[in-house]
Amino acid sequence: AHFIRDNFSFGLRKQIGVDTGVTIRYRKNIKDITCEENWDDVVTEILPVGKDSILLNELDPLRSVYIKSTTQYLVPYTKTVSFTQDEINPENFTDGEGNLDETQYKTALIENLAQQALNYLEENKKPKITYTLSAHLEEITDIGDIVAVIHEPLNINLTASVIGFDYDCILKKYKQIIF
């Protein structure tokens, strides 16, 4: 969600900005382009730890305790990550007399732990990249607007959302956009 506010009201919206068909292209309107990569959260292999320090090989000693991403780099990015598993209630794994079926309970914890680990890997398998460019533009009107960027020498061909911009009020043109 995007938090929207002005001097009189505020609200949340699913989406902001519009696609006006703006294309930023090498040798057309790009003056300068820089790229910042943030590799701080990148992970390609994790050791997930769950409730009560449970590991993936708790019931099967032959199973690996690590989960690997399909995306790999020359240098492995390995982390140990603890996951909360409060949604797994042990009362759901009791028999009619109130006795806990530990095998079913641990199986549910391990499956949940593996799924959370896979989701974490999917979110963090690539670095967060921010491009800042200077270009001759007139069509961008607000943050959230969609732009197509094509820069053949850097092999960039993507569609992105504007997250910031510099606007020259005197010249009435955009000097820089960040996406």
Side-chain angles (χ1 to χ4, degrees), residues 114-139:
Q115 187 58 51
Q116 286 189 53
L118 288 170
N119 292 344
Y120 186 88
L121 276 175
E122 188 62 31
E123 273 183 36
N124 296 293
K125 67 183 179 182
K126 294 183 179 178
K128 307 295 185 257
I129 299 175
T130 303
Y131 292 99
T132 303
L133 62 87
S134 298
H136 299 289
L137 297 173
E138 280 106 28
E139 297 91 354

Side-chain angles (χ1 to χ4, degrees), residues 13-70:
R13 293 194 186 145
K14 273 187 170 180
Q15 183 177 352
I16 60 173
V18 294
D19 186 355
T20 57
V22 174
T23 300
I24 301 167
R25 183 179 281 279
Y26 177 67
R27 292 194 174 169
K28 176 185 169 198
N29 53 6
I30 292 179
K31 293 192 309 187
D32 183 34
I33 187 167
T34 60
C35 175
E36 291 180 32
E37 295 181 3
N38 182 351
W39 288 78
D40 293 344
D41 296 327
V42 173
V43 62
T44 57
E45 183 176 353
I46 67 171
L47 171 67
V49 179
K51 188 175 190 176
D52 299 328
S53 300
I54 195 166
L55 298 174
L56 294 175
N57 68 348
E58 183 81 18
L59 297 177
D60 181 7
L62 299 177
R63 183 176 181 179
S64 175
V65 293
Y66 291 95
I67 293 184
K68 291 185 178 185
S69 171
T70 56

